Amino acid sequence: MYGALRPCDGQTLTQTASSRNTAGFQALLDAVDQDNPDGDLYLIADNLSSHSSAPIQEWLAAHPRVHIESTPKGACWLNLIEGWWRLFRRHAFAGQSFADHTEIEAVTTLATGQLNRRAKPWVWGRPPRPHRRLRRRF
């Protein structure tokens, strides 16, 4: 499964693939490029070898507005989509069993659409705690 999160409005794009390889990642890059036609794109990706393979480097050279940054090893929490994946797994896969890949694709499409309908901008970090009022004043 591949996914891309646009933090400014919380919209996501997901795709299923038989394995996590260069072809699947390139298909995601094509979809992200088509879904966001204007401006530069900065993608944060994990450190898979398929993300830095020769075909991906050629694709990036042909699409100069797309930039990929890798997360540091051991710091996946810096990537905002990791929190979205947690919500997605709970929403789409909790308590489910699937017969084949077509059911997984159907559930992925359905859950992504439902989560996109109620999407909100993603902000890294937590909101500040409300100010605690003291009950008594001396």
Side-chain angles (χ1 to χ4, degrees), residues 56-105:
I56 297 299
Q57 296 305 315
E58 292 171 10
W59 189 94
L60 290 171
H63 298 84
R65 70 184 195 94
V66 179
H67 311 278
I68 294 181
E69 298 296 329
S70 295
T71 56
K73 292 186 189 286
C76 67
W77 51 272
L78 289 174
N79 194 347
L80 288 175
I81 199 168
E82 296 298 335
W84 186 87
W85 282 123
R86 187 174 139 259
L87 295 174
F88 176 81
R89 282 190 304 270
R90 187 177 350 149
H91 189 77
F93 297 144
Q96 301 287 329
S97 59
F98 303 102
D100 60 2
H101 66 90
T102 57
E103 289 184 3
I104 295 173
E105 289 176 19

Side-chain angles (χ1 to χ4, degrees), residues 13-91:
L13 176 73
T14 56
Q15 290 185 335
T16 57
S18 58
S19 65
R20 293 180 72 178
N21 56 19
T22 301
F25 187 62
Q26 189 168 349
L28 177 72
L29 290 175
D30 286 330
V32 168
D33 187 37
Q34 290 173 4
D35 195 42
N36 301 283
D38 299 325
D40 285 348
L41 297 175
Y42 294 92
L43 307 175
I44 300 172
D46 49 5
N47 293 307
L48 292 177
S49 60
S50 63
H51 295 175
S52 58
S53 63
I56 297 299
Q57 296 305 315
E58 292 171 10
W59 189 94
L60 290 171
H63 298 84
R65 70 184 195 94
V66 179
H67 311 278
I68 294 181
E69 298 296 329
S70 295
T71 56
K73 292 186 189 286
C76 67
W77 51 272
L78 289 174
N79 194 347
L80 288 175
I81 199 168
E82 296 298 335
W84 186 87
W85 282 123
R86 187 174 139 259
L87 295 174
F88 176 81
R89 282 190 304 270
R90 187 177 350 149
H91 189 77

